[in-house]
Amino acid sequence: MTPTDVLPAKSDGARPVRVRFAPSPTGSLHLGGARTAIYNWAFARACSGSFILRIDDTDPERSTPENIAQIISALQWLGIDWDEGPVAGGDYGPYFQTERAATYVQALETLRANGWAYRCFCTPAELALMREAARAKGGSSGYDGSCRALSEEQSQARADAGEPFVWRLKIPADHGPIAFDDAVCGHTEFPEDSVDDFVLVRSDGSPTYNFASIVDDATMAITHVIRGNDHVSNTPKQILVLEGLGAQIPTFAHLSMINGPDGKKLSKRHGSTGVEEYADKGYLPEALMNYLALLGWSLDGETTLIDADTLKTRFSLEHVAKRPANFDFAKLTWMNGEYLRAMETDQFAQLMVERLAREGLCPPDDFARRPDWYQALAPMVSERAKLLTDIAPITRFLFVDVVKPDETARAKVLDKDPELVQRALRATLEALEAVEIWDVAHIEAAMADLPDVVDAKPRLAYQPLRVAIAGSTVSLPLNESMELLGREKTLARIRTLLQTMPEA
Ligand code: GLU
């Protein structure tokens, strides 16, 4: 292979769309990264292109296998699939930067052959002095190009003598401003003196981010680099590398930052920022994907519920906003509730059983054992739950053997008017004991005149029963709950509460 073989041939016509998400596994997948991944993925799908996952693991100290595994599982949880990358494989691999050393060596050879790279022998102390002097003069603190003056022979001789050196990019002296048309931010220009002859390869032979990343983009035939705009200042450097390589320049699309509700950069201070934390907290991947997609992109300026299939067909860079988006935790939670409500009954019931089984409240195959029971319960729960983690607290009373009245129930009902509680519970017991067919209709009929019988307002008349059944002053609808709980348990709970009441 000659050095130039490292790059795919420049094409004249439109190239098939290839985009990548290139996380550095120095931490877990956070919301900003997930949004970048979603945009790349949706863009690739909408253009019938390819979506590539590349792991930028060049920071050996901070990159860990655990983080890589976490990023992959978080992407999979979100429902993002990739055509090439870890697990998937592909023709442009390897997809881990640590396995791509040969590519960087070849790219450096190409840059040298094209007169775009030179060795720099300046020591850290010399560089520090240089920066200080430049600062004192009020000039740019970048590298002053001292080692550009070395001839190839001098440079080679010093390297052969074992003197440590780095490789720097040799930006042509007459290079003008570096400009590109950003697909989100529009025409963007950097003055020529804003980029110095930056380091491509460190003295230990490792490539820098600005070198490795864009070499990978070029060799992987990436057509669109869609990433956070914290990288925008790297773009001129990367364009220069591509010029030096004689490679095609991709379209850049820099996404605005995500801010917290207060307009400041989103951080842990505002709330959870890791994708996995949202999974744990009971958010649905579909809801999180929908919410993140809308943080800086809109379908038509008004539609808020957008599923993955719509994203995969309708996503476009034209509708990506330049302005930073504010993360609204309450809106995400609302959206999650909407997704729960929109679920098919059986699907929600299955999810419910999964959650309940996880808490040890039912066996994992309980839905298969009594589908009708769960189908009756599911709509009542999905109407009230905003998060999957709400399911167990809402339904626990239906699964446990004994319920204990909570503090509010004690203070607001049992201790407040014990005499009324006893009267109401006795009347309830009597009415329910007479019910022969234990279903909502018959239970309801038996309970209808309870307020008259105990001579109290409906809310006060039914409250003791609710406390007996659910241990709380708020619960699922009472008659339905009693049907689901069954005759024996219902009557037993009323009797138990009655027994604990002080004699009137
Ligand atoms: N590894 C870089 C990061 O995680 C990728 C930057 C890019 O997309 O070029 O920030």
Side-chain angles (χ1 to χ4, degrees), residues 20-26 30 36 40 54-57 97 209 213-214 217 225-228 230-231 234 238:
R20 86 313 191 261
F21 175 55
S24 302
T26 52
H30 53 85
T36 303
N40 274 284
R54 184 180 79 221
I55 305 294
D56 284 3
D57 54 349
Q97 286 194 324
Y209 158 72
S213 175
I214 203 67
D217 291 338
V225 172
I226 305 169
R227 62 184 174 192
D230 48 334
H231 282 292
N234 293 319
Q238 297 179 354

Side-chain angles (χ1 to χ4, degrees), residues 25-188:
T26 52
S28 55
L29 186 68
H30 53 85
L31 297 172
R35 185 192 59 167
T36 303
I38 292 168
Y39 283 15
N40 274 284
W41 167 80
F43 180 71
R45 297 288 170 259
C47 301
S48 306
S50 300
F51 174 56
I52 291 120
L53 175 63
R54 184 180 79 221
I55 305 294
D56 284 3
D57 54 349
T58 42
D59 182 341
E61 262 143 51
R62 293 166 62 224
S63 300
T64 66
E66 292 75 29
N67 287 336
I68 296 173
Q70 194 281 342
I71 291 169
I72 289 177
S73 77
L75 290 171
Q76 288 169 334
W77 176 77
L78 271 170
I80 295 178
D81 56 336
W82 48 97
D83 307 297
E84 295 172 31
V87 191
D91 292 342
Y92 292 78
Y95 295 94
F96 290 85
Q97 286 194 324
T98 42
E99 294 170 18
R100 297 179 61 80
T103 305
Y104 310 133
V105 169
Q106 282 197 339
L108 180 64
E109 286 303 308
T110 306
L111 286 178
R112 286 183 68 192
N114 295 346
W116 275 77
Y118 63 96
R119 289 189 193 88
C120 168
F121 297 91
C122 294
T123 62
E126 285 167 338
L127 292 171
L129 276 177
M130 195 183 295
R131 270 195 292 274
E132 220 166 90
R135 218 173 290 134
K137 272 200 244 154
S140 119
S141 60
Y143 184 61
D144 69 1
S146 309
C147 289
R148 284 172 80 118
L150 296 173
S151 69
E152 180 52 33
E153 291 70 34
Q154 289 171 316
S155 166
Q156 189 65 55
R158 287 174 71 172
D160 289 345
E163 209 178 312
F165 63 87
V166 298
W167 285 97
R168 288 185 183 272
L169 186 72
K170 191 173 193 174
I171 305 172
D174 57 355
H175 200 292
I178 304 127
F180 58 96
D181 290 315
D182 192 288
V184 173
C185 307
H187 188 77
T188 308

